[in-house]
Structures are given as structure tokens and as C-alpha cells.
Amino acid sequence: MNPGTRDPNTRRPVRRVVIAGGGTAGWMAAAGIAKVLGKRLDITLVESDEIGTVGVGEATIPTLLNFHNLLEINEQEFMAETQATFKLGISFESWRNVREDYIHSFGMTGTDHWTAGFQHFWHKGVERGLAGDYGDYCLELKASLENRFAHLPDNGMNYAYHLDASRYAKYLRRLSEPRGVKRVEGKIVRYTQHEDNGDVRSLVLESGQEIEGDLFIDCTGFRGLLIGEAMREPMEDWSQWLFCDRAIAVQTESVGDAVPLTRSMAHQAGWQWRIPLQHRVGNGIVYSSRHLDDDAAMKQLLGNVEGKTLVTPRVIKFKPCQRKHTWKGNVVAMGLASGFLEPIESTSIHLIQRAVVRLMQTFPTDGISQADIDEYNQQCNTEIEHIRDFIILHYHVNHRTDSPFWTEAREMSIPASLRHRIDLFRETGRVFRVPNELFAENSWIQVMLGQGIMPRSHHQTADLMGDEELKHFLGGIKSRVDRIVVQLPTHQAYVERYCGRPEGARAA
């Protein structure tokens, strides 16, 4: 039976939650649900040790701290267990043009006025020869350039983490099981469905064991066993805007101090990442198979890593896409089962986190409501489309002329929503954040400036400042940033003191 709109008369109370698949998505879902509703629900997670996970989502964004606060996670313990380091932003190297770099950092830049953002005052300062680089007025950016970090009072430093994804899943499992999550080892070979409405009734394992549930969380990766096969929910293909469809991941030994930045190094058909952990470095290359074959990509990756490789590199095939409905019937898809956007802005773990939190906010205790499903899906779609546009921005606005890949990206048609943002900033310097959007104004400004868009004008509020007042205003912000940065310890020293292993114990 093809699942459709729910009949209010067939609502079944939700008491048994079954999570199909483990990994980061499965165990984040288990940890979140158990923390909030573990005393009221029977929660089962099914996974097989024989089935590997993609496990390359090792860079995060600051929103993960909110999720950890919800779970009451001790940061030092978490970082030691996952061999995590701190992250202050992403270094985009050769994205605008070959050998032209910029940083998309966390936090705020400068000081806004209620009528106009700081970029307007900075823009006037540039015109008058009174301003330095836009990044000179951002604490997180300047600290990342100096490889420095520390926790500051009143959450004065915005940060995220680099972490070992496989260790993170194991860590969340250790939190979840004492809170009532039951883990079942086994391969899922099929599922059964209710005849009346097509909802999933149970999972059947290779051993013959059958696990029944009222609500199913699909964390089966690209396969999308429940959302795709059982619920017949297709993917919406976004490859007309995002050309990359392959990745190769490899881990290497650490050969130097860990820096508080994810490196994103553009090449002729995509980009390469480098993520420093305490015990090793995560590396990978993302590319378009239309512009670069697998063998050439492998050669390029291995020719641009530092340190001995620790694992055999593996090719990961993907399609940039998203399911229009990530909640259908009694199945909620999370992680790769819901869709995939390449990890250029480290949003993979964030999207899992948001899915978990959103499900908790709409949890169908007394039965699944179509109204809840519709609201959940609408929120998911709005969020993912904003993130999609932000990622397309990195590719579309470029000055590279060294390969067809970048030329095609620059010349392609883009979503109208993104076109509006670019035109608005180019003409007026204005950026307005959509309610509940992930990336705030400063993120859009940093990337648009970094990719080479300079506004043609600024808000007239900035013109109310004379040269001396503007010089004092800009200089005061820069001086404050510089004073703080120079007092910070190195990132490596801080990590070792805060949550790391003894000096000299960095081997994998």
C-alpha cells in the first residue's frame, strides 16, 4: 500500500521507537530521544558491526554545543573520548581564484547599528582609506590566523569542534544505553507494513528476529531502507547546481600542531579538506566525476596530504539531493537517509541535530498527526534550502578561469532565492537573515566578500560619522581584538592542557 495522508481515526499511540541504523545519526537520535523521553518510551536501536559507516563528518559548527547542553555532556570528557580539537572557522583556499584565500569564521565582526550592519561602516572606511581587512575586526578570525584559542568569560569565543566521528557514535552509545536505549545487533533484511495505511510495522533481521515499533527513525544511510523503499519517498536532485558527486577519505598521522581551522582547498574539479584531531588528521577530496576520474582524484589527494596514511582510501559516491518529505507515515529519516549536501560548511551533523530537536518538539505521543508531519517537513525544507543556497554561493561566485568546472559553476543559472541575496548585497551591502536560518548575516558577508563581491554602496547611517570618528570607531574594535588575541595560548597547548593526552602521545 502506498502511504499517503494520514486518517485521524487511525492514529496509534507512540510508545515504541525503533532506530534503524547506528553511526552518528542513529546514536544522536538515540541520545536525544532518551534524554528527553527515555522514561516514557521503549527505544531500540538496530545496527550491525559488519556494516560500516561513511564516518567522514568530522568538522562541526557551534550549534553542536547547544545539543551537548541538552544532553548534559561534559565537554572535557567528550573531547578526550573523541580526540577532539577546537574549530574557529573554515579556511577557504583558492576558492575565489587560485592562491586567493579567505576565512569564514564563527562569531560576529565589528559592532552593528540598529539600522545597519558593521559592514556598512567598514565599507565607508575602505572608501576613505581608514579600514583594514574585514577580518581584522573579528576575534575568532584573528585567533584562528594566530593558531590561538581559549574559553573566554560570557561565551566570548564562538567555536565548534573537529572530532572523530566513529568515536563520537561510541561515546553517544555509552550515554544512551544507561538512559534506556536497547541496542540490537543484526542486519536488517526486510520490513513489514500495516495493511491499512502502509506504515512500517516491524524490522526483520537476518537472524529471523522481528522488532516491532510505532515510530521508526531511518538512519540506514544512502540506502534509505524505510523512507525510500517502504515509504517510496523520492530524492529531489540538486546536481544542476552542485556538480560534485564523489569523495575520497583517508586518515593520516599528525605531523604538526593542530590548528583551530578546517582547511578547504579548492582544486580544478572540486576541493580537498584537512581536519586536525588530537591523534590524527582527517583528509578527503570532493570532486565532480564529470571533470575528474577516480584514479586522478586519488592521485591528487594522496599527493597533497601530510604524514603517513593510516587507512586505505575509499571512494564514496553520492548525489546532492534531499527528500521533499523526510517524515512520511511513521518513518522519520535522519542523516544520509534524508539527503546529502557536501560537507563544505560542516552542516551534516548540524542537520542531524536539528532533525532530532525538531522531532522532540513535535513528538507524536498520542498518535501521529498529519499536521505535525506537515510542519516538520516544512521546517526541514526551508532550512535545507537556505543551506543549499549558501553552498552554491561558494561555487557560483568565483573568478577562476583554470578549468571548465569553475567556468560552468560561474555561468550556471542559480535559484532565485540565492540570486536575490547576491544582488541585494552587491547593490546595497545589505544582508537580512531569514527567521530560523542557520547561517547568520556575518556568515553570508564573509563568504560573499571572500568570493569577491564588494558592495557598490553603504547605508547612509555610516555617512553620519566623520573621518576622525570613523577612524576611532574602527580602530577601537581592531585594538580590542588584537589585545585579546595576543593573550591567548596556542591552540595546541590549550587542547593538551584541557582535554588532551601527554606531550609526545599523538600517534594514532
Side-chain angles (χ1 to χ4, degrees):
M1 180 176 181
N2 188 17
T5 302
R6 305 192 67 76
D7 180 353
N9 297 318
T10 63
R11 288 170 59 170
R12 299 180 175 92
V14 174
R15 299 292 182 266
R16 301 168 298 174
V17 175
V18 178
I19 303 170
T24 304
W27 285 109
M28 285 185 76
I33 297 171
K35 179 65 175 67
V36 178
L37 296 172
K39 294 180 179 178
R40 299 190 60 182
L41 299 172
D42 176 12
I43 306 169
T44 303
L45 184 146
V46 182
E47 68 175 342
S48 171
D49 288 333
E50 297 179 28
I51 299 176
T53 59
V54 173
V56 297
E58 300 189 324
T60 65
I61 57 179
T63 55
L64 187 61
L65 276 71
N66 299 328
F67 188 67
H68 284 185
N69 288 337
L70 168 69
L71 298 181
E72 298 181 333
I73 284 178
N74 178 284
E75 184 178 69
Q76 288 173 284
E77 176 187 84
F78 147 74
M79 293 188 69
E81 289 286 331
T82 62
Q83 289 296 285
T85 58
F86 294 101
K87 174 187 172 184
L88 294 174
I90 305 171
S91 173
F92 286 99
E93 303 170 23
S94 294
W95 278 82
R96 176 172 58 197
N97 209 341
V98 178
R99 291 184 294 278
E100 293 184 17
D101 309 336
Y102 68 94
I103 291 174
H104 170 204
S105 63
F106 304 138
M108 295 296 296
T109 300
T111 302
D112 294 339
H113 185 266
W114 70 271
T115 62
F118 172 76
Q119 74 271 19
H120 296 276
F121 300 90
W122 171 81
H123 185 270
K124 182 183 179 182
V126 171
E127 287 187 344
R128 304 294 294 171
L130 303 174
D133 292 336
Y134 185 74
D136 289 348
Y137 309 94
C138 178
L139 172 61
E140 289 80 3
L141 190 148
K142 293 292 286 187
S144 68
L145 284 174
E146 297 294 329
N147 293 337
R148 295 177 180 273
F149 179 85
H151 290 93
L152 297 181
D154 301 320
N155 299 315
M157 183 80 83
N158 293 280
Y159 64 90
Y161 309 104
H162 299 129
L163 55 85
D164 184 316
S166 60
R167 290 179 182 233
Y168 185 49
K170 293 175 182 176
Y171 176 72
L172 292 176
R173 175 183 172 183
R174 288 196 293 273
L175 289 182
S176 303
E177 289 181 318
R179 292 173 175 170
V181 177
K182 178 184 177 183
R183 179 189 182 274
V184 175
E185 166 66 29
K187 290 183 180 179
I188 303 169
V189 294
R190 61 185 179 90
Y191 49 82
T192 67
Q193 293 174 271
H194 292 285
E195 293 184 358
D196 57 348
N197 61 5
D199 279 1
V200 174
R201 187 181 71 83
S202 69
L203 305 179
V204 181
L205 308 188
E206 191 175 50
S207 65
Q209 182 179 0
E210 187 171 2
I211 300 174
E212 295 185 346
D214 305 311
L215 181 71
F216 291 81
I217 314 296
D218 188 346
C219 299
T220 60
F222 289 124
R223 181 185 181 189
L225 174 66
L226 303 182
I227 192 70
E229 294 184 24
M231 310 309 288
R232 304 177 190 177
E233 179 62 29
M235 287 286 195
E236 182 179 351
D237 188 351
W238 288 342
S239 57
Q240 72 267 36
W241 299 307
L242 298 167
F243 303 156
C244 293
D245 58 356
R246 297 283 192 281
I248 304 174
V250 68
Q251 300 166 7
T252 58
E253 290 182 347
S254 300
V255 296
D257 289 349
V259 298
L261 280 171
T262 299
R263 291 186 64 187
S264 174
M265 300 164 279
H267 58 76
Q268 290 187 333
W271 59 282
Q272 181 176 337
W273 77 76
R274 188 173 297 165
I275 300 173
L277 308 182
Q278 293 184 48
H279 62 312
R280 62 167 175 80
V281 175
N283 305 269
I285 188 170
V286 178
Y287 58 100
S288 164
S289 62
R290 288 196 297 114
H291 300 86
L292 189 70
D293 64 47
D294 294 344
D295 291 340
M298 183 75 72
K299 182 178 180 181
Q300 184 164 325
L301 171 63
L302 296 179
N304 191 33
V305 297
E306 299 174 345
K308 179 183 176 182
T309 58
L310 302 173
V311 295
T312 301
R314 55 199 176 100
V315 176
I316 302 165
K317 297 180 181 181
F318 63 85
K319 178 184 291 186
C321 57
Q322 176 69 13
R323 298 190 196 274
K324 193 68 176 178
H325 304 97
T326 54
W327 183 352
K328 192 167 185 178
N330 69 338
V331 173
V332 182
M334 295 185 185
L336 298 176
S338 67
F340 183 76
L341 287 175
E342 60 183 84
I344 184 177
E345 282 287 352
S346 309
T347 54
S348 298
I349 289 177
H350 166 80
L351 288 170
I352 299 168
Q353 167 191 331
R354 288 295 301 135
V356 174
V357 171
R358 191 174 287 119
L359 180 60
M360 293 300 91
Q361 293 171 338
T362 57
F363 196 84
T365 304
D366 296 324
I368 297 173
S369 160
Q370 188 64 41
D372 276 339
I373 293 175
D374 293 342
E375 178 62 26
Y376 180 98
N377 286 327
Q378 177 59 46
Q379 290 185 23
C380 285
N381 292 341
T382 300
E383 180 173 42
I384 195 68
E385 287 171 6
H386 291 153
I387 294 173
R388 177 204 65 193
D389 285 0
F390 192 57
I391 293 175
I392 295 171
L393 169 67
H394 296 65
Y395 288 105
H396 177 63
V397 182
N398 78 82
H399 298 168
R400 292 185 62 142
T401 58
D402 58 314
S403 71
F405 175 88
W406 292 101
T407 299
E408 290 174 26
R410 184 170 55 253
E411 294 178 351
M412 69 181 174
S413 297
I414 59 175
S417 51
L418 175 57
R419 172 55 59 198
H420 168 70
R421 286 181 184 262
I422 292 173
D423 290 345
L424 181 67
F425 184 73
R426 179 178 282 120
E427 294 294 329
T428 70
R430 295 189 180 100
V431 177
F432 292 103
R433 185 180 188 180
V434 177
N436 300 317
E437 181 181 9
L438 170 59
F439 293 107
E441 291 93 334
N442 195 46
S443 290
W444 284 91
I445 293 166
Q446 288 183 96
V447 174
M448 286 195 282
L449 288 174
Q451 292 294 136
I453 303 176
M454 188 65 173
R456 293 171 181 156
S457 64
H458 55 257
H459 195 286
Q460 62 183 357
T461 298
D463 292 328
L464 298 176
M465 282 190 179
D467 283 1
E468 283 302 314
E469 185 180 3
L470 182 60
K471 181 179 179 181
H472 178 75
F473 171 69
L474 295 172
I477 295 172
K478 183 178 184 301
S479 295
R480 175 185 171 275
V481 168
D482 291 342
R483 282 196 308 270
I484 295 174
V485 170
V486 76
Q487 298 177 60
L488 298 174
T490 67
H491 173 252
Q492 182 70 37
Y494 192 84
V495 168
E496 290 177 355
R497 182 169 69 250
Y498 184 69
C499 59
R501 295 178 295 176
E503 183 69 30
R506 295 183 201 165

